[in-house]
Structure formats: structure tokens, C-alpha cells
């Protein structure tokens, strides 16, 4: 399985890339290859960063794309991670280089992560939508195809080209409250990781994200309380959300949460905030 996330248009609040970085760090991913940034980036749009190198010198960090490999600690399954910055040019070549490496590594499923700004309240669970244009994945996982029409980002292109190659595809998108769009957005990152649990067959490596998400929500609560207009807007979003989604949980949802609880109990994982 390959999981990909890219900085830029597809990554509201840096939620998707933060989720992938969390997996890479906790599961000890090692680099397989790096794409040459000169081929794909306009450095006036995505500039290299200069800073200390840890040994008293200076270093440049380029907006490159890294393909790394890790192993799920429970299943032992190899997982390929693609972390990068949405390229400025040559998108088809860029995606084909990623997919060539994926096929070399025996990848049969590509999961693309994304996050968008939306009219959702920060006080409710972050909505996460999964979709696929692959009929096999739709039938197996019970997900729907996307009905979106309009401009797409690099995750949409990568997913489509993967499907054309006969690789199974899945898209996972979190909705980030637009009035707190500045990164980080730990509550959205946590929501993405929890959604990935079901597809990876692994307990999500959430680390301290649950506590970070609580602190983030409390901080936004305080900001909203200081601005009556924002507080009223949040209340309207809450009402709209609660009306659209009745509090009754389906049998399927209850079963899914119970399976997650058992998995975490068996592996010694800690509790995760669901809100």
C-alpha cells in the first residue's frame, strides 16, 4: 500500500501532511528515493529554505518529494509513504515517477490524503470523507465515487493515473474549519489518522495528538468567546451540523467503534479523543 500527501492546495491546516509525517516518524520510515526538485518546482513559488545544519554551518532545504518505506508494526505489511510539495509543473511526469517507484515496490493500492477548508464547527468531530473511482474498492469498503467537478490538485491527478494503471485507489479528505485555517490543525490530523486505521489494519500512531487536539479546541473556544460575532457564527454551524446528522448511531458505526476499541485494548494503545 502507498499513502501520499502533499503540501499546498490539497492540505488545509497542514492536516494531511502532518498525518503522514506522524506515521513516518513513529514507524521509522526510511528513504527509498527522492525526486529531483529541479524538474518539477518553480522556486519563486516554492522557495528553498535556508537555516542551520546542526553542526554550526548552514544548509538549504529544497521542496523535494520523498518516497519512503516502513512496516506496519502489527501486520508486518510494507507501507510506502510519499511526502512532498505539490509541484509547479510536469504533473503527469511527476506522478508517473511516483507510480513507477510504487510498482517497483509491489504496491497494489494507493491512498491519497487531503484536507480542505469547509463550513464546519471546530467543536464537533472533524468530518472525514472517503471516496474512490475504483468499483472494486467501492464494493469492498462500501465507499462512494466522488461527484466533484472542477479544478483538482496533485492528489486527484495521482489517484486518477494510478487507477488507469490498474492500481486500486482510495481518497481520504478531512474538512478543516475555515475560520481556523492556520496550521497546525491537530484535530483534523487526528481524524485522518483514525480514518486510516480501518484501511491500514493498524492502530493509528497518534502519539500526543489527542492531547494536542483538545488543547487546540480549547484555544479556539477562548478566541471565539472574545468575539461575539465569531461565537454566533460557530453556534450557527453547530446547529446546522447537528440538524444534518442526527445523534442516533447506526449499527455499522457502533460495530466499527467497538472493533477499534478491541484493537487498541489488544495492542495496549491509549484512548483517543473522538471529538
Amino acid at each position: 500500500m502507498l499513502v501520499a500527501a502533499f503540501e499546498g492546495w490539497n492540505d488545509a491546516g497542514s492536516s494531511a501532511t502532518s498525518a503522514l509525517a506522524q506515521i513516518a516518524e513513529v514507524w521509522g520510515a526510511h528513504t527509498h528515493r527522492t525526486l529531483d526538485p529541479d524538474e518539477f518546482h518553480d522556486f519563486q513559488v516554492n522557495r528553498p529554505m535556508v537555516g542551520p545544519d546542526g553542526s554550526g554551518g548552514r544548509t538549504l532545504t529544497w521542496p523535494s518529494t520523498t518516497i519512503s518505506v516502513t512496516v506496519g508494526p502489527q501486520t508486518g505489511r510494507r507501507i510506502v509513504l510519499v511526502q512532498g510539495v505539490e509541484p509547479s509543473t510536469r504533473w503527469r511526469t511527476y506522478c508517473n515517477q511516483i507510480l513507477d517507484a510504487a510498482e517497483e515496490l509491489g504496491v497494489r493500492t494507493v491512498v491519497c490524503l487531503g484536507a480542505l477548508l469547509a463550513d464546519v464547527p471546530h467543536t464537533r468531530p472533524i468530518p472525514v470523507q472517503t471516496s474512490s473511482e475504483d468499483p472494486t474498492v467501492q464494493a469492498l469498503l462500501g465507499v462512494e465515487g466522488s461527484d466533484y467537478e472542477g479544478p483538482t490538485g496533485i492528489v486527484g491527478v495521482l489517484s486518477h493515473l494510478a487507477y488507469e494503471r490498474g492500481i486500486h485507489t482510495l481518497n481520504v479528505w478531512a474538512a478543516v474549519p475555515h475560520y481556523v485555517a492556520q496550521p497546525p490543525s491537530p484535530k483534523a490530523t487526528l481524524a485522518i489518522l483514525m480514518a486510516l486505521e480501518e484501511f491500514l489494519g493498524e492502530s493509528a500512531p497518534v502519539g500526543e495528538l489527542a492531547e494536542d487536539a483538545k488543547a487546540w479546541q480549547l484555544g479556539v473556544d477562548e478566541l471565539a468567546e472574545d468575539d461575539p460575532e465569531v461565537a454566533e457564527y460557530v453556534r450557527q454551524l453547530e446547529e446546522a451540523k447537528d440538524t444534518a446528522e442526527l445523534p442516533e448511531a447506526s449499527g455499522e458505526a457502533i460495530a466499527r467503534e467497538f472493533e477499534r476499541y478491541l484493537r487498541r485494548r489488544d495492542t495496549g494503545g491509549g484512548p483517543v479523543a473522538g471529538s
Side-chain angles (χ1 to χ4, degrees):
M1 176 180 290
L2 181 150
V3 185
F6 303 90
E7 297 176 26
W9 192 77
N10 318 269
D11 191 29
S14 298
S15 308
T17 51
S18 294
L20 203 64
Q22 180 80 359
I23 294 173
E25 179 181 359
V26 176
W27 288 353
H30 62 273
T31 300
H32 173 71
R33 65 173 292 193
T34 301
L35 303 191
D36 183 356
D38 286 351
E39 293 189 49
F40 307 110
H41 291 283
D42 178 347
F43 297 130
Q44 290 183 324
V45 176
N46 294 303
R47 294 180 179 272
M49 302 295 289
V50 64
D53 63 5
S55 60
R58 304 284 285 175
T59 186
L60 280 173
T61 302
W62 298 89
S64 60
T65 297
T66 300
I67 301 171
S68 58
V69 179
T70 187
V71 175
Q74 293 171 239
T75 64
R77 179 196 300 175
R78 181 166 60 185
I79 301 170
V80 180
L81 307 176
V82 177
Q83 301 166 275
V85 180
E86 184 176 68
S88 305
T89 186
R90 303 183 69 201
W91 282 23
R92 285 177 294 183
T93 301
Y94 177 85
C95 290
N96 282 326
Q97 287 192 14
I98 292 173
L99 294 174
D100 287 344
E103 290 183 333
E104 292 170 6
L105 292 167
V107 168
R108 292 183 292 177
T109 303
V110 168
V111 180
C112 290
L113 309 181
L116 74 164
L117 299 179
D119 293 328
V120 295
H122 72 280
T123 53
R124 299 293 186 266
I126 295 292
V128 177
Q129 181 180 17
T130 57
S131 65
S132 176
E133 61 179 297
D134 186 335
T136 301
V137 174
Q138 292 175 11
L140 182 63
L141 300 180
V143 300
E144 298 182 353
S146 173
D147 57 2
Y148 171 75
E149 297 181 10
T152 189
I154 195 64
V155 294
V157 175
L158 179 63
S159 180
H160 184 75
L161 293 180
Y163 176 65
E164 287 187 337
R165 288 195 183 206
I167 301 174
H168 298 307
T169 61
L170 181 73
N171 301 305
V172 179
W173 282 80
V176 177
H178 70 88
Y179 55 91
V180 279
Q182 300 85 354
S185 186
K187 190 170 181 178
T189 296
L190 179 62
I192 291 173
L193 285 173
M194 298 308 296
L196 277 177
E197 268 198 352
E198 300 180 34
F199 311 123
L200 294 177
E202 300 274 355
S203 294
V206 298
E208 298 179 355
L209 271 174
E211 293 303 317
D212 292 343
K214 291 179 181 178
W216 175 85
Q217 181 167 323
L218 288 173
V220 180
D221 286 343
E222 292 175 358
L223 291 175
E225 289 173 359
D226 292 337
D227 190 325
E229 290 186 4
V230 173
E232 175 60 20
Y233 179 64
V234 171
R235 187 188 64 78
Q236 292 174 5
L237 291 177
E238 290 172 338
E239 290 182 355
K241 179 72 172 177
D242 295 343
T243 300
E245 297 183 4
L246 296 177
E248 297 180 11
S250 68
E252 181 180 351
I254 294 172
R256 186 165 56 247
E257 289 301 318
F258 185 62
E259 290 172 359
R260 178 177 293 166
Y261 162 75
L262 291 177
R263 184 161 58 244
R264 289 194 165 278
R265 184 195 64 180
D266 294 341
T267 59
V272 173
S275 60

